[in-house]
Amino acid sequence: MSLLDIDALRATPLKREPYDYFVVEHFVKPEVFAKVLADFPTIESTGSIPPSELDIHGAFEQLLDEMNGPEFRKAIEEKFGLDLSDRPTMFTVRGNCARSNGKIHTDTESKIITVLLYMNQEWDKDGGRLRILRSATDLNDAAEEVSPNGGTLLVFRRSENSWHGHEPFEGPRRAIQMNWVRDEAVVEHEQRRHRFTMFLKRINPFGGVAARAS
């Protein structure tokens, strides 16, 4: 049984303002969401962690496999009018948010498509809701605010104006980030960077390593 609602993705229109993006609530099917969440890896630290550094198993492993599979890729290609068949993918997982996370940014130029899948049971907090922004300077000038719960999917095309960010929040905030990127060198560089950041946090957990989070 598929964990992802690809039909709902295909039925969701692509929004063009302020940049190309779309949101699908309950993209992880509600009847399997609790099972996937139960297999979400235990993460004590903040920051983005490569799956290779985590205990990936069960329904969570199936979820990553489906996201990295041909059906999901084809649906994304159709939505954005792209050919991603020769573009590598890159995953990171987050379990916790620091108050320093969420600053406005566009994502790096080496990324083509950003996929964010939020894996929180519910969300009644004021902060931590990702905003699709019209500018680099005003967090309140938002086209849409996305609550990070219930298997909600956000996908956008990275561009020079793909600004996004969120109000400060500190605490558990589970998310998967997937990117189609320019080439394998990007994957290798980013994975090394994330592993080095994890190393710094292990030796100095109060060092305040800055990180942007979506």
Side-chain angles (χ1 to χ4, degrees):
M1 175 185 177
S2 175
L3 305 176
L4 303 178
D5 194 344
I6 300 294
D7 289 340
L9 188 162
R10 289 198 167 102
T12 300
L14 180 69
K15 299 180 181 181
R16 299 287 190 178
E17 296 295 335
Y19 48 86
D20 293 352
Y21 78 98
F22 66 91
V23 178
V24 183
E25 295 183 355
H26 305 297
F27 182 59
V28 179
K29 295 176 180 178
E31 61 267 28
V32 299
F33 181 76
K35 182 179 179 181
V36 177
L37 191 58
D39 287 340
F40 195 97
T42 300
I43 300 174
E44 302 293 342
S45 64
T46 60
S48 299
I49 304 174
S52 60
E53 304 299 309
L54 297 169
D55 177 17
I56 305 298
H57 65 276
F60 189 81
E61 183 175 16
Q62 180 184 344
L63 178 71
L64 296 188
D65 288 344
E66 288 190 26
M67 292 177 70
N68 206 30
E71 188 176 13
F72 183 56
R73 189 198 74 219
K74 184 178 179 182
I76 297 298
E77 289 176 327
E78 292 170 353
K79 191 69 67 179
F80 290 95
L82 292 171
D83 180 2
L84 298 169
S85 58
D86 62 344
R87 302 295 188 177
T89 56
M90 178 175 67
F91 284 84
T92 55
V93 184
R94 298 183 72 99
N96 296 282
C97 190
R99 288 197 66 82
S100 59
N101 296 156
K103 293 181 174 61
I104 298 174
H105 62 290
T106 62
D107 281 4
T108 58
E109 189 178 352
S110 58
K111 296 176 180 177
I112 301 167
I113 294 289
T114 292
V115 176
L116 295 166
L117 184 59
Y118 293 111
M119 297 297 298
N120 304 285
Q121 189 70 46
E122 56 186 23
W123 199 263
D124 56 2
K125 290 81 174 175
D126 292 332
R129 299 171 186 265
L130 193 73
R131 296 177 182 177
I132 303 297
L133 300 173
R134 298 185 179 91
S135 77
T137 58
D138 189 354
L139 194 57
N140 293 314
D141 188 10
E144 188 167 348
E145 184 177 72
V146 182
S147 184
N149 66 294
T152 294
L153 175 76
L154 166 64
V155 186
F156 63 87
R157 188 199 309 261
R158 191 273 166 195
S159 68
E160 293 305 312
N161 70 314
S162 55
W163 304 107
H164 56 285
H166 61 73
E167 291 283 2
F169 172 77
E170 185 174 14
R173 185 177 180 270
R174 300 178 186 90
I176 301 164
Q177 180 165 326
M178 172 188 181
N179 294 95
W180 277 275
V181 298
R182 188 177 56 224
D183 52 43
E184 286 291 347
V186 174
V187 178
E188 294 171 7
H189 175 269
E190 289 296 312
Q191 299 292 294
R192 284 197 304 270
R193 182 175 67 85
H194 287 306
R195 283 193 290 268
F196 182 64
T197 300
M198 288 177 59
F199 170 74
L200 291 179
K201 287 183 176 181
R202 288 191 188 107
I203 63 175
N204 184 13
F206 304 106
V209 178
R212 287 169 172 169
S214 296

